[in-house]
Amino acid sequence: MDIDSLLKPFHHFGVRLGLDSVFKLLANLGNPHHQVPIVHVTGTNGKGSVCAYLSSILTEAGYRTGRFISPHLVDWTERICLNEQPISSEEFCQLLVEVIRAIDPEEQSPTQFEVITAAAWLYFARQKVDLAVIEVGLGGRLDATNVCSHPLVTIITSISRDHWQKLGPNLTDIAREKAGIFKPGCPAVIGILPPDAEEVVRSRALELECPIVIPQPARQVTPGWAEWEMGKLIKYPLVLQGQIQLQNSAVALAAIEILQKQGWKISEEAIINGMAKTHWLGRLQWTTWKNHQLLLDGAHNVGGAQALRDYIDKLETGELKLPTEWELGARETTEDLGIPKSKIQVDWIVGMLAKKDHRDIFKILLRPGDRLFLVPVPEAITARPHELAKIAWEVCPELSDCNTYPDLSLALEETFASSKGNLVILCGSLYLIGYFLKFANGY
């Protein structure tokens, strides 16, 4: 059987927050999570790139390093990695068969995510990893990854409004759920948070006597290079795009500094080489489609949309540079709209899931003169393109154009056939980005 077939029976259980089921499943498997030292990472945005930085650095330092992430972009095997290499499909299937056999038929069935999480713990324990970087699936307090009583470090990268249907309607509720990964006396690294959220997080850390570090963002010194204080000033390559990576990389390095103080041997050379080798698909990623340049980004919530908008704005001001082969032909064609010549005109190809802040995301992204091409997100509970179009026109009535398409390939064809050198961005859902990577680039 393949991975999809093994996991399909559990898909209909959906998202179910709570730890009882996963604890019972892990107990039936011999409690493999007790054998795995971890760095536990949550956050609304940035947690994936922070996990990527940490895994790359720790692997470069010579440690046998596990990494567990969700969701995947193209293939299930991306979720479970050892020393930066995805688990093989064969190994994943074998683990899933074993996990499924351990399910007590008299108990409530675990969810798909709980089954995958149990497989990850089993894999890391058997591979005798030195430590694993574990990304929370949803929230933190009741997430299936939250089963370790004494993590090496816990991390909250950021907090903004996302998954409010499960985590609560406001930032304080969401912050409370994410701070649920804190454990008594265990150090915590916290990114820059909204004041209300930070107050909740600090209060929980104080209650549990968790030493906390809130690092300031790194400083860009030249394009593609940043520096941050780790006892001494360290200069390192920053290969992931966007201003937000100054904060994300600082959060990762603050966690590395804590590990160093705990006795982990992580040299400056390992940090620099690890940062240089970091890969993270689908986030401010430049790629091509039929020899056309385009930018990919999830931008699936308000925080992610703001990070993308900030990146575009810095391209306009010249603070960040486009790839040298990229040319924008629309800079000289927008005066009739009252837009400065330096304005970058964007052709947006967007698909979103149904339960997202569509209006707020459009408010952040769209500008007068932009064109919008709306598509469904394949194999997901998608927002309907024609409903998104109505919202987009209300948010930005000065759009140059707004059209809907039944599938992504048709939208891509139409966008590039009619584009006048505009910056083309595909965004709105990580599932949509994964679909593109799978069919377009052969990942």
Side-chain angles (χ1 to χ4, degrees):
M1 295 184 74
D2 59 19
I3 297 171
D4 281 317
S5 299
L6 288 166
L7 290 175
K8 188 175 181 180
F10 302 94
H11 181 71
H12 67 277
F13 293 110
V15 175
R16 186 177 65 230
L17 294 178
L19 300 177
D20 288 350
S21 181
V22 73
F23 269 127
K24 289 175 182 176
L25 181 56
L26 289 169
N28 293 343
L29 292 165
N31 291 314
H33 58 296
H34 290 167
Q35 304 171 44
V36 184
I38 72 164
V39 176
H40 203 189
V41 184
T42 190
T44 305
N45 294 291
K47 58 185 182 293
S49 55
V50 167
C51 287
Y53 288 133
L54 290 171
S55 176
S56 185
I57 291 170
L58 292 166
T59 299
E60 197 67 20
Y63 290 109
R64 196 164 174 80
T65 306
R67 182 178 67 181
F68 178 64
I69 62 166
S70 63
H72 62 275
L73 282 183
V74 179
D75 192 273
W76 287 104
T77 58
E78 298 167 32
R79 296 189 179 215
I80 303 175
C81 292
L82 176 64
N83 289 346
E84 296 292 278
Q85 297 303 309
I87 187 174
S88 70
S89 295
E90 293 75 20
E91 284 180 296
F92 204 167
C93 284
Q94 290 169 8
L95 287 167
L96 289 174
V97 168
E98 191 166 349
V99 170
I100 292 167
R101 285 175 178 166
I103 296 171
D104 185 344
E106 301 299 318
E107 298 285 350
Q108 183 181 38
S109 176
T111 66
Q112 188 180 84
F113 183 69
E114 288 168 340
V115 169
I116 297 167
T117 303
W121 289 119
L122 195 58
Y123 181 68
F124 295 148
R126 289 184 175 167
Q127 290 294 326
K128 294 180 168 57
V129 300
D130 294 306
L131 75 172
V133 180
I134 304 292
E135 178 186 356
V136 165
L138 180 62
R141 182 176 67 93
L142 297 175
D143 184 75
T145 63
N146 195 28
V147 293
C148 287
S149 60
H150 199 82
L152 301 168
V153 188
T154 53
I155 298 172
I156 299 178
T157 59
S158 68
I159 293 176
S160 63
R161 192 170 182 265
D162 197 17
H163 299 296
W164 69 93
Q165 301 93 339
K166 295 287 184 180
L167 303 181
N170 55 55
L171 290 184
T172 56
D173 291 326
I174 295 170
R176 194 170 295 110
E177 292 300 313
K178 294 190 183 299
I181 69 169
F182 291 173
K183 301 298 187 301
C186 296
V189 179
I190 303 167
I192 296 175
L193 308 180
D196 289 352
E198 183 179 326
E199 183 180 348
V200 170
V201 169
R202 280 183 176 274
S203 175
R204 182 59 176 164
L206 181 64
E207 180 183 344
L208 295 175
E209 299 182 339
C210 298
I212 62 171
V213 176
I214 305 179
Q216 289 300 306
R219 187 175 72 89
Q220 182 174 318
V221 288
T222 58
W225 285 84
E227 63 182 15
W228 195 72
E229 184 76 35
M230 294 185 71
K232 68 173 185 176
L233 204 60
I234 181 171
K235 183 179 178 182
Y236 57 91
L238 199 57
V239 295
L240 302 186
Q241 297 291 314
Q243 193 78 1
I244 192 63
Q245 295 306 331
L246 294 173
Q247 175 64 34
N248 291 341
S249 63
V251 167
L253 292 180
I256 290 293
E257 192 169 33
I258 290 171
L259 292 174
Q260 288 173 327
K261 292 174 180 177
Q262 292 174 353
W264 298 83
K265 306 299 183 185
I266 308 165
S267 68
E268 182 175 328
E269 181 183 13
I271 292 170
I272 293 170
N273 291 340
M275 295 299 283
K277 294 178 181 179
T278 300
H279 296 283
W280 192 231
L281 292 177
R283 284 77 168 180
L284 293 175
Q285 177 189 349
W286 289 94
T287 189
T288 59
W289 183 80
K290 295 186 176 181
N291 296 319
H292 297 292
Q293 292 275 348
L294 76 157
L295 180 63
L296 308 179
D297 191 62
H300 60 291
N301 55 39
V302 169
Q306 190 61 60
L308 174 56
R309 185 70 248 176
D310 290 345
Y311 180 66
I312 299 167
D313 292 345
K314 289 189 183 304
L315 291 175
E316 288 181 353
T317 62
E319 293 179 66
L320 295 174
K321 302 297 182 184
L322 287 161
T324 54
E325 66 271 23
W326 183 254
E327 293 181 2
L328 290 173
R331 287 182 182 270
E332 302 296 325
T333 64
T334 57
E335 286 184 294
D336 57 327
L337 294 170
I339 300 170
K341 286 187 177 181
S342 62
K343 176 75 175 179
I344 292 178
Q345 217 65 63
V346 179
D347 288 346
W348 300 95
I349 305 174
V350 176
M352 297 189 210
L353 298 184
K355 294 182 178 180
K356 292 291 181 177
D357 283 321
H358 310 130
R359 185 175 298 273
D360 289 340
I361 290 171
F362 280 143
K363 284 180 180 177
I364 292 167
L365 294 179
L366 301 180
R367 296 291 184 270
D370 287 352
R371 300 195 306 165
L372 183 59
F373 301 78
L374 294 160
V375 298
V377 180
E379 300 175 5
I381 303 175
T382 183
R384 297 177 180 177
H386 71 276
E387 293 177 356
L388 292 178
K390 180 181 178 182
I391 296 170
W393 279 120
E394 292 171 356
V395 167
C396 188
E398 301 88 0
L399 286 172
S400 175
D401 203 0
C402 178
N403 291 295
T404 62
Y405 297 87
D407 64 75
L408 178 58
S409 59
L410 189 60
L412 286 163
E413 293 280 4
E414 178 61 27
T415 302
F416 286 112
S418 59
S419 182
K420 298 179 180 179
N422 291 4
L423 171 59
V424 179
I425 301 176
L426 173 62
C427 69
S429 168
L430 289 173
Y431 294 99
L432 182 66
I433 300 300
Y435 176 77
F436 169 83
L437 290 172
K438 192 170 186 177
F439 91 78
N441 286 358
Y443 281 94

mmCIF file of all heavy atoms in Angstrom, residues 45 62 64 99 111 115 150 176 243 246 262 269 272 280 282 300 338 353 363 390-391 393 400 427:
data_model
loop_
_atom_site.group_PDB
_atom_site.id
_atom_site.type_symbol
_atom_site.label_atom_id
_atom_site.label_comp_id
_atom_site.label_asym_id
_atom_site.label_seq_id
_atom_site.Cartn_x
_atom_site.Cartn_y
_atom_site.Cartn_z
ATOM 1 N N ASN A 45 3.147 32.350 11.979
ATOM 2 C CA ASN A 45 4.009 32.371 10.802
ATOM 3 C C ASN A 45 5.455 32.268 11.260
ATOM 4 O O ASN A 45 5.797 32.666 12.378
ATOM 5 C CB ASN A 45 3.816 33.658 9.998
ATOM 6 C CG ASN A 45 2.433 33.761 9.386
ATOM 7 O OD1 ASN A 45 2.083 33.024 8.487
ATOM 8 N ND2 ASN A 45 1.630 34.687 9.898
ATOM 9 N N GLY A 62 26.958 18.234 13.204
ATOM 10 C CA GLY A 62 27.309 16.823 13.351
ATOM 11 C C GLY A 62 26.325 16.008 14.154
ATOM 12 O O GLY A 62 26.557 14.813 14.394
ATOM 13 N N ARG A 64 22.818 14.011 14.880
ATOM 14 C CA ARG A 64 21.792 13.240 14.163
ATOM 15 C C ARG A 64 20.459 13.915 14.481
ATOM 16 O O ARG A 64 19.926 13.795 15.591
ATOM 17 C CB ARG A 64 21.830 11.802 14.652
ATOM 18 C CG ARG A 64 21.131 10.800 13.778
ATOM 19 C CD ARG A 64 21.566 9.386 14.157
ATOM 20 N NE ARG A 64 20.804 8.385 13.439
ATOM 21 C CZ ARG A 64 21.045 8.016 12.182
ATOM 22 N NH1 ARG A 64 22.025 8.598 11.515
ATOM 23 N NH2 ARG A 64 20.304 7.083 11.601
ATOM 24 N N VAL A 99 1.941 1.700 13.259
ATOM 25 C CA VAL A 99 1.133 2.601 14.083
ATOM 26 C C VAL A 99 -0.340 2.200 14.021
ATOM 27 O O VAL A 99 -1.032 2.144 15.047
ATOM 28 C CB VAL A 99 1.319 4.066 13.631
ATOM 29 C CG1 VAL A 99 0.297 4.978 14.325
ATOM 30 C CG2 VAL A 99 2.735 4.544 13.927
ATOM 31 N N THR A 111 -6.825 10.784 14.813
ATOM 32 C CA THR A 111 -6.934 11.536 13.569
ATOM 33 C C THR A 111 -5.740 11.213 12.680
ATOM 34 O O THR A 111 -4.752 10.601 13.101
ATOM 35 C CB THR A 111 -6.951 13.047 13.840
ATOM 36 O OG1 THR A 111 -5.676 13.438 14.381
ATOM 37 C CG2 THR A 111 -8.065 13.421 14.795
ATOM 38 N N VAL A 115 -1.848 10.030 13.778
ATOM 39 C CA VAL A 115 -1.187 8.839 13.244
ATOM 40 C C VAL A 115 0.189 9.212 12.683
ATOM 41 O O VAL A 115 1.198 8.536 12.949
ATOM 42 C CB VAL A 115 -2.065 8.175 12.153
ATOM 43 C CG1 VAL A 115 -1.274 7.103 11.392
ATOM 44 C CG2 VAL A 115 -3.313 7.578 12.777
ATOM 45 N N HIS A 150 9.671 17.718 28.975
ATOM 46 C CA HIS A 150 10.830 18.563 29.242
ATOM 47 C C HIS A 150 11.610 18.826 27.946
ATOM 48 O O HIS A 150 12.702 18.290 27.735
ATOM 49 C CB HIS A 150 11.752 17.921 30.276
ATOM 50 C CG HIS A 150 12.690 18.897 30.925
ATOM 51 N ND1 HIS A 150 12.326 19.703 31.970
ATOM 52 C CD2 HIS A 150 13.986 19.203 30.654
ATOM 53 C CE1 HIS A 150 13.352 20.459 32.328
ATOM 54 N NE2 HIS A 150 14.378 20.175 31.537
ATOM 55 N N ARG A 176 -2.695 32.111 24.303
ATOM 56 C CA ARG A 176 -2.821 31.173 25.425
ATOM 57 C C ARG A 176 -2.636 29.735 24.935
ATOM 58 O O ARG A 176 -1.988 28.919 25.602
ATOM 59 C CB ARG A 176 -4.194 31.355 26.080
ATOM 60 C CG ARG A 176 -4.341 30.687 27.438
ATOM 61 C CD ARG A 176 -5.630 31.114 28.117
ATOM 62 N NE ARG A 176 -5.635 32.540 28.445
ATOM 63 C CZ ARG A 176 -6.391 33.443 27.836
ATOM 64 N NH1 ARG A 176 -7.228 33.086 26.875
ATOM 65 N NH2 ARG A 176 -6.328 34.711 28.203
ATOM 66 N N GLN A 243 12.120 40.434 4.613
ATOM 67 C CA GLN A 243 12.542 41.097 5.828
ATOM 68 C C GLN A 243 12.223 40.280 7.071
ATOM 69 O O GLN A 243 12.934 40.332 8.073
ATOM 70 C CB GLN A 243 11.857 42.481 5.915
ATOM 71 C CG GLN A 243 12.414 43.416 6.963
ATOM 72 C CD GLN A 243 13.707 44.074 6.537
ATOM 73 O OE1 GLN A 243 14.184 43.832 5.418
ATOM 74 N NE2 GLN A 243 14.288 44.899 7.401
ATOM 75 N N LEU A 246 14.913 38.256 8.997
ATOM 76 C CA LEU A 246 15.803 38.842 10.008
ATOM 77 C C LEU A 246 15.314 38.477 11.408
ATOM 78 O O LEU A 246 16.112 38.196 12.309
ATOM 79 C CB LEU A 246 15.867 40.360 9.835
ATOM 80 C CG LEU A 246 16.511 40.854 8.536
ATOM 81 C CD1 LEU A 246 16.364 42.362 8.410
ATOM 82 C CD2 LEU A 246 17.983 40.446 8.471
ATOM 83 N N GLN A 262 23.570 24.753 27.167
ATOM 84 C CA GLN A 262 23.222 23.463 27.747
ATOM 85 C C GLN A 262 24.304 22.409 27.495
ATOM 86 O O GLN A 262 24.197 21.292 28.004
ATOM 87 C CB GLN A 262 21.893 22.969 27.183
ATOM 88 C CG GLN A 262 20.690 23.804 27.612
ATOM 89 C CD GLN A 262 19.399 23.365 26.924
ATOM 90 O OE1 GLN A 262 19.414 22.523 26.021
ATOM 91 N NE2 GLN A 262 18.278 23.942 27.333
ATOM 92 N N GLU A 269 31.255 28.006 12.753
ATOM 93 C CA GLU A 269 31.306 27.477 11.384
ATOM 94 C C GLU A 269 30.050 26.687 11.057
ATOM 95 O O GLU A 269 29.494 26.804 9.952
ATOM 96 C CB GLU A 269 32.539 26.583 11.229
ATOM 97 C CG GLU A 269 32.695 25.996 9.831
ATOM 98 C CD GLU A 269 33.879 25.064 9.720
ATOM 99 O OE1 GLU A 269 34.446 24.669 10.772
ATOM 100 O OE2 GLU A 269 34.244 24.704 8.581
ATOM 101 N N ILE A 272 27.175 29.179 10.433
ATOM 102 C CA ILE A 272 27.271 29.866 9.137
ATOM 103 C C ILE A 272 26.960 28.907 7.995
ATOM 104 O O ILE A 272 26.184 29.224 7.085
ATOM 105 C CB ILE A 272 28.670 30.492 8.979
ATOM 106 C CG1 ILE A 272 28.854 31.625 9.992
ATOM 107 C CG2 ILE A 272 28.880 31.009 7.552
ATOM 108 C CD1 ILE A 272 30.269 32.150 10.093
ATOM 109 N N TRP A 280 13.763 26.088 2.195
ATOM 110 C CA TRP A 280 12.367 26.108 2.649
ATOM 111 C C TRP A 280 11.492 26.523 1.481
ATOM 112 O O TRP A 280 11.416 27.686 1.128
ATOM 113 C CB TRP A 280 12.223 27.063 3.831
ATOM 114 C CG TRP A 280 10.916 26.960 4.570
ATOM 115 C CD1 TRP A 280 10.070 27.991 4.886
ATOM 116 C CD2 TRP A 280 10.303 25.772 5.094
ATOM 117 N NE1 TRP A 280 8.977 27.507 5.570
ATOM 118 C CE2 TRP A 280 9.101 26.152 5.712
ATOM 119 C CE3 TRP A 280 10.662 24.428 5.091
ATOM 120 C CZ2 TRP A 280 8.250 25.230 6.329
ATOM 121 C CZ3 TRP A 280 9.813 23.513 5.695
ATOM 122 C CH2 TRP A 280 8.634 23.920 6.304
ATOM 123 N N GLY A 282 8.413 27.326 -1.121
ATOM 124 C CA GLY A 282 7.086 27.913 -1.148
ATOM 125 C C GLY A 282 6.899 29.182 -0.358
ATOM 126 O O GLY A 282 5.792 29.705 -0.264
ATOM 127 N N HIS A 300 -1.090 32.850 3.467
ATOM 128 C CA HIS A 300 -2.402 32.241 3.688
ATOM 129 C C HIS A 300 -3.114 32.803 4.915
ATOM 130 O O HIS A 300 -4.203 32.352 5.257
ATOM 131 C CB HIS A 300 -2.258 30.730 3.831
ATOM 132 C CG HIS A 300 -1.387 30.318 4.971
ATOM 133 N ND1 HIS A 300 -0.034 30.528 4.983
ATOM 134 C CD2 HIS A 300 -1.672 29.702 6.140
ATOM 135 C CE1 HIS A 300 0.471 30.056 6.099
ATOM 136 N NE2 HIS A 300 -0.498 29.560 6.835
ATOM 137 N N GLY A 338 -2.414 57.393 -11.605
ATOM 138 C CA GLY A 338 -1.906 58.181 -10.482
ATOM 139 C C GLY A 338 -0.927 57.420 -9.621
ATOM 140 O O GLY A 338 -0.710 57.754 -8.460
ATOM 141 N N LEU A 353 -8.192 28.908 0.948
ATOM 142 C CA LEU A 353 -9.115 28.000 1.605
ATOM 143 C C LEU A 353 -10.338 28.764 2.089
ATOM 144 O O LEU A 353 -10.310 29.988 2.251
ATOM 145 C CB LEU A 353 -8.425 27.303 2.776
ATOM 146 C CG LEU A 353 -7.218 26.431 2.426
ATOM 147 C CD1 LEU A 353 -6.702 25.727 3.675
ATOM 148 C CD2 LEU A 353 -7.542 25.424 1.337
ATOM 149 N N LYS A 363 -6.993 43.258 1.604
ATOM 150 C CA LYS A 363 -6.683 44.634 2.010
ATOM 151 C C LYS A 363 -5.180 44.861 2.103
ATOM 152 O O LYS A 363 -4.678 45.946 1.777
ATOM 153 C CB LYS A 363 -7.334 44.945 3.363
ATOM 154 C CG LYS A 363 -8.834 45.208 3.302
ATOM 155 C CD LYS A 363 -9.383 45.498 4.699
ATOM 156 C CE LYS A 363 -10.884 45.757 4.655
ATOM 157 N NZ LYS A 363 -11.435 45.976 6.027
ATOM 158 N N LYS A 390 -15.794 39.082 -5.764
ATOM 159 C CA LYS A 390 -16.689 40.108 -5.217
ATOM 160 C C LYS A 390 -16.023 40.849 -4.062
ATOM 161 O O LYS A 390 -16.068 42.093 -3.987
ATOM 162 C CB LYS A 390 -17.988 39.453 -4.741
ATOM 163 C CG LYS A 390 -19.000 40.430 -4.149
ATOM 164 C CD LYS A 390 -20.259 39.701 -3.683
ATOM 165 C CE LYS A 390 -21.246 40.688 -3.049
ATOM 166 N NZ LYS A 390 -22.464 39.987 -2.535
ATOM 167 N N ILE A 391 -15.373 40.110 -3.173
ATOM 168 C CA ILE A 391 -14.678 40.728 -2.035
ATOM 169 C C ILE A 391 -13.538 41.612 -2.531
ATOM 170 O O ILE A 391 -13.335 42.733 -2.048
ATOM 171 C CB ILE A 391 -14.147 39.640 -1.079
ATOM 172 C CG1 ILE A 391 -15.305 38.863 -0.465
ATOM 173 C CG2 ILE A 391 -13.279 40.260 0.017
ATOM 174 C CD1 ILE A 391 -14.861 37.620 0.305
ATOM 175 N N TRP A 393 -13.143 43.213 -5.403
ATOM 176 C CA TRP A 393 -13.618 44.465 -5.993
ATOM 177 C C TRP A 393 -14.064 45.447 -4.905
ATOM 178 O O TRP A 393 -13.869 46.663 -5.031
ATOM 179 C CB TRP A 393 -14.772 44.197 -6.957
ATOM 180 C CG TRP A 393 -14.377 43.738 -8.325
ATOM 181 C CD1 TRP A 393 -14.727 42.567 -8.924
ATOM 182 C CD2 TRP A 393 -13.564 44.425 -9.281
ATOM 183 N NE1 TRP A 393 -14.189 42.479 -10.178
ATOM 184 C CE2 TRP A 393 -13.481 43.614 -10.432
ATOM 185 C CE3 TRP A 393 -12.912 45.659 -9.269
ATOM 186 C CZ2 TRP A 393 -12.759 43.989 -11.564
ATOM 187 C CZ3 TRP A 393 -12.181 46.039 -10.397
ATOM 188 C CH2 TRP A 393 -12.108 45.215 -11.527
ATOM 189 N N SER A 400 -7.027 46.826 -11.924
ATOM 190 C CA SER A 400 -7.043 46.904 -13.381
ATOM 191 C C SER A 400 -7.920 45.823 -13.985
ATOM 192 O O SER A 400 -8.583 46.031 -15.005
ATOM 193 C CB SER A 400 -5.613 46.788 -13.914
ATOM 194 O OG SER A 400 -5.606 46.748 -15.321
ATOM 195 N N CYS A 427 -0.072 32.976 -4.848
ATOM 196 C CA CYS A 427 -0.127 32.948 -3.387
ATOM 197 C C CYS A 427 -1.540 32.627 -2.900
ATOM 198 O O CYS A 427 -2.450 32.409 -3.682
ATOM 199 C CB CYS A 427 0.336 34.292 -2.813
ATOM 200 S SG CYS A 427 -0.792 35.668 -3.124
#
